[in-house]
Amino acid sequence: MPYEPVIGLEVHAELATKSKMFCACAVVDNTVAAPNVAVCPVCAGMPGTLPVVNQMAVEMGIRVALALGCTVNPVSVFARKNYFYPDLPKGYQISQYEQPLAEHGRLVIQTGAGEPLRAIRIRRVHLEEDTGKLTHVEGGSLLDLNRAGVPLLEIVSEPDIQSAEEAVAYGEALRHILRYLEVNSGDMEKGVIRFEANVSVRPIVGAGVTPAPYGTRTEVKNLNSFRALERAILFEIERQSKVLASGGTVEQETLGWNETKEVTYSQRSKEDAHDYRYFPEPDLPPLKVDESWLTRVRAELPELPRAKMQRFVTSYKLPEKDAARMVEERSIAEYFEAAVFRLPSSVTPKALANWILGEMFGLMKTRGETAERLKVRPEALAELVGLVAGGEINQTTGRTVLAEMFESGRSAAEIVSAQGLKQVSDAGFISEIVRQTLEESPGEVTSYRSGKETVLNWLFGQVMKKAAGKANPQVVRAELERQLKRS
Ligand SMILES: [Zn+2]
């Protein structure tokens, strides 16, 4: 294709505060709450009411701004963005325009393990309020104001994104950070994060030539999943390229995304900032953030996902893929690290990681449990992994014991001793059951000796069965081979 895309993203993230942005109404989960249970005269836009800024929402905004390396402005200004829509009872949205909360940050993205890192510049981070929700039914529309006035953080990137794949990587990295900062649940199905993509294309020029100026952009609104984000961008790149290739011009417009047909459709033509007649909100004073507030929030920032992942690779020698999976949930990463410190010195963190990413994730999934509510504490898991690595119990028994630990919360050592599961490495005992097994299976022994070596696995299984699964597999295998080689 002779055209290359230029993409900028606007991300709207609901802030996980208890109350709304400018009133004391509770923020409720709209997927379960009845309509209009969290509404007051302020968020219903009644004349004569006054907004009051939610301090926690500002603090959460600062947290995100600092995590993205932004400069937090000592003074920012709320502004009225004027437009009419039935889900916006005031006739304007309180947002921030000329002086946002924070500016000039960056977000490092990677499209996959081993791929190069790219820094996407963040233009601005500002606070605003969400709108209500309209449901269109036969004969009219239903209005729910539970969401009206819920704090929103808008994070706007520079047009540094070069593909749909990068846009998804950006969205995922940002969602990951928001969850680590505990400012947003990341629950995309509940609409707590929404994307808007600004897409344009321009002719590709050779290396060393000044790039072509940006083409006319379109804005695709309300993309509520990574899939929709990716598909909509791919669609727009192709559509605009075709328009240009056939000699046409791209119209600046606001587009919607039809999820079922996977096409964009025109909502409004040419819409610019001046159409909203922004002006400073007269009912709110300028928002001041002093240095001591910034210092405290900065000191309280957790280690962010990318830094944690890199540390797990260097400190614990985890492969990058494993480290990435381990840091996906902050609680799991912390669980892993708590267990690492309880491991016997002979056991590697990688062995522990294998247990968490394999067996433990499997058990958690089938039982629907989260790291915070696990009966198996990190020290208990470390003990189990130590027992397996030290040869006290074998891998298979280890799995049974872990399942039992999930059930009862008892320690691995308790279960092993109560159920007599200790692995048997005693050479005399193993030698005897191997001898018995070979004696009972003369046919298999003959075929092994005549060159059919796969019979060994079958014989191994027989021995393990006889030992009720408790025999040390390495010792059994060695003894089997020894006795079979004897003529
Ligand atoms: Zn309210």
Side-chain angles (χ1 to χ4, degrees):
M1 199 210 301
Y3 300 100
E4 62 180 7
V6 175
I7 303 160
L9 283 188
E10 293 172 23
V11 180
H12 286 94
E14 279 185 9
L15 293 173
T17 51
K18 290 199 173 70
S19 57
K20 291 188 180 180
M21 187 67 217
F22 300 114
C23 62
C25 286
V27 172
V28 295
D29 180 349
N30 276 309
T31 55
V32 290
N36 298 306
V37 292
V39 192
C40 75
V42 176
C43 54
M46 298 291 171
T49 58
L50 288 172
V52 177
V53 174
N54 180 334
Q55 185 176 352
M56 185 45 83
V58 179
E59 173 146 342
M60 287 181 172
I62 296 173
R63 234 183 263 172
V64 176
L66 293 177
L68 294 173
C70 292
T71 307
V72 176
N73 291 322
V75 179
S76 61
V77 174
F78 286 102
R80 284 192 185 180
K81 181 180 185 180
N82 296 284
Y83 69 97
F84 171 77
Y85 205 68
D87 63 10
L88 186 71
K90 291 198 294 283
Y92 59 86
Q93 179 191 30
I94 304 180
S95 180
Q96 293 187 309
Y97 181 53
E98 277 174 336
Q99 284 169 268
L101 178 71
E103 295 166 277
H104 314 304
R106 67 205 281 273
L107 176 62
V108 174
I109 63 163
Q110 194 177 23
T111 50
E115 293 295 322
L117 301 180
R118 284 236 305 129
I120 306 297
R121 289 171 300 153
I122 306 286
R123 180 181 295 169
R124 55 189 276 142
V125 172
H126 73 245
L127 289 159
E128 59 184 36
E129 56 179 337
D130 211 343
T131 60
K133 210 167 194 174
L134 278 180
T135 309
H136 305 289
V137 292
E138 215 187 308
S141 294
L142 301 174
L143 178 60
D144 177 8
L145 291 179
N146 283 345
R147 207 181 64 180
V150 166
L152 275 186
L153 197 66
E154 181 169 337
I155 301 140
V156 183
S157 84
E158 294 290 348
D160 291 348
I161 298 165
Q162 294 170 343
S163 66
E165 197 189 9
E166 279 192 0
V168 172
Y170 174 94
E172 285 176 343
L174 187 57
R175 172 175 178 268
H176 208 177
I177 289 174
L178 296 176
R179 294 183 64 227
Y180 260 58
L181 297 175
E182 294 172 336
V183 303
N184 182 288
S185 67
D187 218 333
M188 308 282 290
E189 280 106 67
K190 292 187 176 170
V192 297
I193 301 179
R194 278 119 53 192
F195 301 108
E196 281 171 35
N198 288 295
V199 185
S200 65
V201 299
R202 62 179 175 186
I204 295 175
V205 294
V209 183
T210 315
Y214 292 154
T216 306
R217 66 182 168 82
T218 58
E219 182 178 350
V220 192
K221 284 207 175 282
N222 280 321
L223 300 165
N224 295 336
S225 68
F226 292 120
R227 188 189 150 83
L229 176 66
E230 184 176 29
R231 295 297 172 118
I233 291 174
L234 288 173
F235 181 87
E236 267 309 290
I237 294 171
E238 199 182 327
R239 186 188 68 82
Q240 293 182 18
S241 300
K242 276 185 187 155
V243 168
L244 294 184
S246 65
T249 49
V250 174
E251 298 289 322
Q252 181 184 334
E253 55 188 343
T254 303
L255 305 170
W257 174 244
N258 184 320
E259 195 84 58
T260 338
K261 293 185 188 156
E262 299 204 324
V263 293
T264 58
Y265 59 91
S266 184
Q267 283 186 327
R268 298 189 279 279
S269 65
K270 196 164 163 64
E271 165 193 280
D272 275 317
H274 62 247
D275 295 326
Y276 291 114
R277 297 290 188 270
Y278 280 99
F279 63 85
E281 168 59 58
D283 289 341
L284 287 170
L287 176 65
K288 290 183 181 156
V289 179
D290 62 24
E291 202 49 47
S292 65
W293 194 2
L294 286 184
T295 307
R296 180 177 59 75
V297 177
R298 193 177 280 120
E300 287 170 5
L301 283 184
E303 183 179 32
L304 296 174
R306 175 156 296 281
K308 204 182 267 300
M309 186 193 91
Q310 280 159 349
R311 190 167 57 79
F312 281 11
V313 170
T314 44
S315 305
Y316 302 131
K317 310 279 175 276
L318 294 192
E320 202 176 307
K321 266 204 169 126
D322 289 0
R325 283 183 67 206
M326 196 65 84
V327 303
E328 225 160 79
E329 298 284 334
R330 186 174 152 191
S331 54
I332 294 285
E334 284 166 1
Y335 183 101
F336 165 73
E337 209 154 22
V340 164
F341 291 112
R342 302 299 195 97
L343 277 182
S345 57
S346 58
V347 186
T348 61
K350 168 80 174 106
L352 172 72
N354 290 346
W355 276 91
I356 292 178
L357 300 176
E359 211 57 33
M360 209 176 90
F361 273 12
L363 284 165
M364 284 170 70
K365 201 171 173 195
T366 46
R367 303 169 62 97
E369 288 185 48
T370 58
E372 297 90 341
R373 294 186 15 217
L374 278 186
K375 277 189 189 155
V376 181
R377 300 313 310 146
E379 55 274 20
L381 181 70
E383 182 194 47
L384 170 77
V385 177
L387 290 178
V388 176
E392 297 281 312
I393 53 175
N394 64 33
Q395 187 87 13
T396 318
T397 309
R399 281 192 210 115
T400 318
V401 172
L402 184 61
E404 173 66 31
M405 289 164 72
F406 262 72
E407 199 60 51
S408 65
R410 288 198 300 163
S411 81
E414 267 170 43
I415 296 166
V416 168
S417 93
Q419 302 187 6
L421 297 172
K422 213 165 162 173
Q423 172 164 272
V424 181
S425 303
D426 178 74
F429 168 78
I430 289 176
S431 172
E432 178 55 24
I433 49 171
V434 167
R435 194 194 57 77
Q436 280 176 23
T437 307
L438 297 187
E439 200 175 277
E440 287 159 16
S441 326
E444 283 76 12
V445 172
T446 314
S447 60
Y448 177 83
R449 286 184 175 146
S450 63
K452 204 178 167 204
E453 296 200 351
T454 47
V455 177
L456 187 70
N457 287 331
W458 183 84
L459 288 166
F460 173 78
Q462 296 303 304
V463 176
M464 291 303 280
K465 206 188 275 175
K466 244 188 220 303
K470 291 185 287 182
N472 181 323
Q474 282 87 18
V475 179
V476 170
R477 213 167 264 281
E479 181 61 17
L480 251 179
E481 284 174 5
R482 195 183 67 82
Q483 292 197 21
L484 281 166
K485 283 193 179 113
R486 258 191 339 214
S487 52

Coordinates of all heavy atoms in Angstrom, one line a residue, residues 20 22-26 38-44 148, ligand 1:
K20 N -19.4 10.8 42.8 CA -19.3 11.4 41.5 C -18.3 12.6 41.5 O -17.8 13.0 42.6 CB -20.7 11.8 41.0 CG -21.6 10.6 40.7 CD -22.9 11.1 40.0 CE -23.8 9.9 39.7 NZ -25.0 10.4 39.0
F22 N -18.7 15.9 40.8 CA -19.1 17.2 41.3 C -20.2 17.2 42.3 O -20.8 18.2 42.7 CB -19.4 18.2 40.2 CG -18.3 18.4 39.2 CD1 -18.4 17.9 37.9 CD2 -17.1 19.0 39.6 CE1 -17.4 18.1 37.0 CE2 -16.1 19.2 38.7 CZ -16.2 18.7 37.4
C23 N -20.6 16.0 42.8 CA -21.7 15.9 43.8 C -21.4 14.7 44.7 O -20.4 13.9 44.4 CB -23.0 15.8 43.2 SG -23.3 14.3 42.2
A24 N -22.2 14.5 45.7 CA -22.0 13.4 46.7 C -22.7 12.1 46.3 O -22.6 11.1 47.0 CB -22.5 13.8 48.0
C25 N -23.3 12.0 45.1 CA -24.0 10.8 44.6 C -22.9 9.6 44.5 O -21.8 9.9 44.1 CB -24.6 11.0 43.3 SG -26.1 11.9 43.3
A26 N -23.4 8.4 44.9 CA -22.5 7.3 44.8 C -22.3 6.9 43.3 O -23.2 7.1 42.5 CB -23.1 6.1 45.5
A38 N -28.9 6.8 41.6 CA -27.8 7.7 42.1 C -27.9 9.0 41.4 O -27.1 9.3 40.5 CB -26.5 7.0 41.9
V39 N -28.9 9.8 41.7 CA -29.1 11.1 41.1 C -29.4 12.1 42.1 O -30.2 11.8 43.1 CB -30.2 11.0 40.0 CG1 -30.2 12.3 39.2 CG2 -30.1 9.8 39.2
C40 N -28.9 13.3 42.0 CA -29.3 14.4 42.8 C -29.5 15.7 42.0 O -29.2 15.7 40.8 CB -28.2 14.6 43.9 SG -26.7 15.4 43.3
P41 N -29.9 16.8 42.6 CA -30.1 18.0 41.8 C -28.9 18.5 41.0 O -29.0 19.0 39.9 CB -30.6 19.0 42.8 CG -31.2 18.2 43.9 CD -30.4 17.0 44.0
V42 N -27.7 18.2 41.6 CA -26.4 18.7 40.9 C -26.2 17.9 39.6 O -26.1 18.5 38.5 CB -25.2 18.5 41.8 CG1 -23.9 18.9 41.1 CG2 -25.4 19.4 43.1
C43 N -26.2 16.6 39.7 CA -25.9 15.8 38.5 C -27.1 15.7 37.5 O -27.0 15.3 36.4 CB -25.3 14.4 38.8 SG -26.3 13.4 39.9
A44 N -28.3 16.1 38.1 CA -29.5 16.2 37.2 C -29.5 17.5 36.5 O -30.4 17.8 35.7 CB -30.7 15.9 38.0
A148 N -24.3 10.0 34.9 CA -24.1 11.4 34.7 C -23.3 12.0 35.9 O -23.7 11.8 37.0 CB -25.5 12.1 34.6
Ligands
ZN1 ZN -25.5 13.8 42.1

